[in-house]
Amino acid sequence: MAPIDRLASIDEFRAPAPVVSGVPLMGRTEWLMLLGLALVWGSAFMFIKVAVAHFEPLTYVWLRVVMAAAALVVILRVSGKRLSLPLALWGSVAVLALLNNIIPFILFGWGQRHIASGLAAILQATTPIWGVLAAHLLTRDERLTPARLIGVLVGFAGVAVMIGPQLAADDGDHLLAQIACLFASFLYALAGIHARRFKAQGVGPMELATAQFVAGAVMLAPIALWVDQPWNGLTTSLYAWGSVAILALVCSAIAYIVFFRLIERAGATNSLLVTLLVPPVAIIVGGLAFGEQLGINQLGGLLLIFAGLAVIDGRLANRLARLGQ
């Protein structure tokens, strides 16, 4: 899944839709695209859980990245473009692949061996919160405002509500899995900051997405093959292979294209709404597929994270202010 902050920093996409108070209006097509992405990325956590039940996390991630890279290369060629980045940029692309694909995919894969898929989705929803902090510390033009600071604090209060009971009980792998997912979300935020440099180099979003998957596939291949040695017990489960294929082709390659198009039509601010829609979908799908049930503290944490994201987004506060005038 693509981190929202990284995509929002790409100003190549300008919304042609009518604009009200600085935010483009969303029509039926844009809402359908947004809901479609929420369904795809929310369901991705179910497919991850199936994949890591049959593959070792390194092998699963490598297969997913290889398939996504191949699909994006084909799509790029069909669209009449070529992946021809300057050699000097590939080092930065490799860093982006580590922050945006390889390490987070591995951490979420391992984490979902121990926690519910819906909980993993909630933890990933903290990416924009981490992004606000990372942007304040690492950039000069995206500073913390009082409202954003309040949103960050409310969001982290939600994390504390979710993880607090496990932290107090020293709940072994369950706690470590949640921390792993949180750290992966933090890396997504760092990837958003790192990716800003490619804009000045004239690298388009499709070329950048393709390049990072290609770099990830090349870097991870020797590690996955050496550590896991998958040829000794590669699964024949059609469910496992199908899950990896869906994650690579639908949840990565195709979803990137749809999301880029949504940013172009509706703007980056409206596209942030997908962050709020993914966790409920993942919770519902996890409950139907695996009978997963989240605790009161986890649902309460979800509400606090949503509240924090709403404060950071600012639109709800602006509308309430206008109603009070």
Side-chain angles (χ1 to χ4, degrees), residues 51-319:
V52 297
H54 295 83
F55 295 104
E56 291 298 321
L58 281 174
T59 301
Y60 139 69
V61 172
W62 180 59
L63 291 171
R64 177 180 177 179
V65 171
V66 166
M67 291 181 187
L72 284 168
V73 167
V74 171
I75 293 170
L76 199 65
R77 293 299 297 271
V78 169
S79 64
K81 300 179 181 178
R82 296 181 59 189
L83 186 59
S84 56
L85 300 185
L87 185 61
L89 279 183
W90 280 99
S92 294
V93 171
V95 173
L96 183 65
L98 287 170
L99 296 175
N100 208 26
N101 297 137
I102 296 177
I103 300 177
F105 284 2
I106 292 171
L107 291 175
F108 273 108
W110 178 82
Q112 284 193 239
R113 286 187 162 187
H114 305 284
I115 62 174
S117 54
L119 178 54
I122 295 172
L123 293 169
Q124 190 182 20
T126 62
T127 296
I129 298 173
W130 290 114
V132 169
L133 284 179
H136 177 76
L137 295 173
L138 301 175
T139 71
R140 296 181 178 179
D141 57 342
E142 295 187 31
R143 314 300 293 178
L144 270 177
T145 63
R148 286 187 168 190
L149 179 60
I150 292 172
V152 168
L153 294 176
V154 172
F156 283 141
V159 173
V161 167
M162 286 192 297
I163 293 183
Q166 283 78 38
L167 189 62
D170 191 21
D171 198 7
D173 286 345
H174 190 84
L175 173 61
L176 290 176
Q178 293 183 69
I179 294 174
C181 292
L182 272 177
F183 184 64
S185 301
F186 171 68
L187 293 181
Y188 277 145
L190 290 183
I193 304 301
H194 179 70
R196 288 170 46 133
R197 68 183 62 200
F198 295 98
K199 180 175 57 178
Q201 301 292 332
V203 181
M206 279 300 301
E207 289 86 351
L208 183 57
T210 305
Q212 70 172 355
F213 276 109
V214 169
V218 172
M219 288 190 296
L220 192 55
I223 301 172
L225 296 176
W226 178 57
V227 174
D228 287 349
Q229 298 181 357
W231 55 83
N232 290 329
L234 202 60
T235 182
T236 58
S237 169
L238 293 179
Y239 290 106
W241 283 101
S243 294
V244 174
I246 290 172
L247 285 165
L249 303 179
V250 179
C251 301
S252 297
I254 295 176
Y256 263 102
I257 297 170
V258 174
F259 192 56
F260 291 155
R261 182 60 175 163
L262 179 62
I263 293 176
E264 182 182 24
R265 294 174 64 100
T269 302
N270 281 324
S271 301
L272 284 171
L273 291 172
V274 75
T275 307
L276 302 178
L277 298 176
V278 166
V281 173
I283 292 169
I284 294 170
V285 171
L288 293 175
F290 308 115
E292 296 175 345
Q293 293 183 346
L294 299 182
I296 296 298
N297 64 304
Q298 294 163 346
L299 295 175
L302 171 64
L303 293 177
L304 285 171
I305 290 172
F306 278 6
L309 291 174
V311 173
I312 290 171
D313 180 64
R315 278 176 290 183
L316 179 60
N318 290 337
R319 290 180 181 178

